[in-house]
Amino acid sequence: MPDAMLGLTPRTLSYIMESPREGARLEAKTDPVVFEGQLRDTGLRQSMQVLDVGCGTGAVTRSLAKIAAPGRVVGVDISTSRLTQARELAAAHEVEVEFIEGDACRLPLSSASFDYAWSRFLFEYLPEPERALAELARVTRLGGTVVVADLDGQLEQFYPLEASVRADLREGLRVLGEMGFDPQVGRKLYHWCWSAGLRDINVSVAPYQMYAGGLPERDLMNWRKKLSIAADYLIEHTGHRERWERLRHALLAQLRSPDLFYYCSLVTVWGKVTTT
């Protein structure tokens, strides 16, 4: 299921990020070449002071550091275990990054400290995304750039789907929604950025996942892992093991059906800080 969700406390960022399986999955699915192009397109340049909020294992943070060198790059995440992985991976890749444990809604950073603030695949899990965006703007200098990228339509746009599977998926998404997960967050980013005072706002919308004729073999392991992690979460919070295990197996089966179509979009919004 979604990319960053497994925790035991309602309305937190913990979700899958606390699963020991999640770090390796996120590393495997992040293509640094793709994201280096996106980072440059949204204004990242050499020698900038850069922030990555919700950095996870630092897969994109390392790309930020590569482009922004010799500028300072800081990654922030609420998960201690993810940050341990991030530090180890940065050292292994000989990349200079500072990693800090912290909450996106209460960043432990000084105001107007960065030229470029980035957050990807985080807002969909936040109970207070607009507060997090205000924090990104706060720590970015006047004229600096804030970039937020997230999905729209995630887990909602399967066709066809058996009625029983559709009903269980709808209920699963409802439970996730109570914990803060929003599958329609992408379409809301522009409004939030405008309301946060960003101007000169740009928007990019691109296909993120699209399967026509079933799930390709290259993506099968990723879906197996994330559906397993999500099922564990739903079992923990509802106590209904049979229902969520059934949904996990049914979704995997239908994802491989030759008549299946599924898509979701990646929405990226970036703008300039105009007030302090």
Side-chain angles (χ1 to χ4, degrees), residues 12-28:
T12 71
L13 301 183
S14 303
Y15 205 37
I16 286 175
M17 287 182 182
E18 293 306 317
S19 167
R21 294 169 289 174
E22 184 65 359
R25 189 184 75 82
L26 293 176
E27 283 289 322

Side-chain angles (χ1 to χ4, degrees), residues 87-157:
R87 293 185 181 103
E88 292 172 351
L89 288 164
H93 285 84
E94 299 182 336
V95 176
E96 191 70 30
V97 179
E98 178 183 351
F99 289 104
I100 298 173
E101 186 170 336
D103 186 336
C105 293
R106 290 175 291 275
L107 291 172
L109 298 163
S110 299
S111 298
S113 300
F114 297 93
D115 303 304
Y116 179 100
W118 162 274
S119 186
R120 177 181 77 108
F121 296 168
L122 175 66
F123 279 43
E124 61 195 279
Y125 308 117
L126 296 179
E128 299 177 286
E130 292 169 277
R131 183 174 176 182
L133 186 55
E135 279 290 273
L136 284 171
R138 178 185 67 80
V139 301
T140 303
R141 296 185 179 118
L142 188 67
T145 301
V146 173
V147 188
V148 183
D150 224 314
L151 299 179
D152 199 80
Q154 185 180 188
L155 295 168
E156 293 185 322
Q157 299 176 136

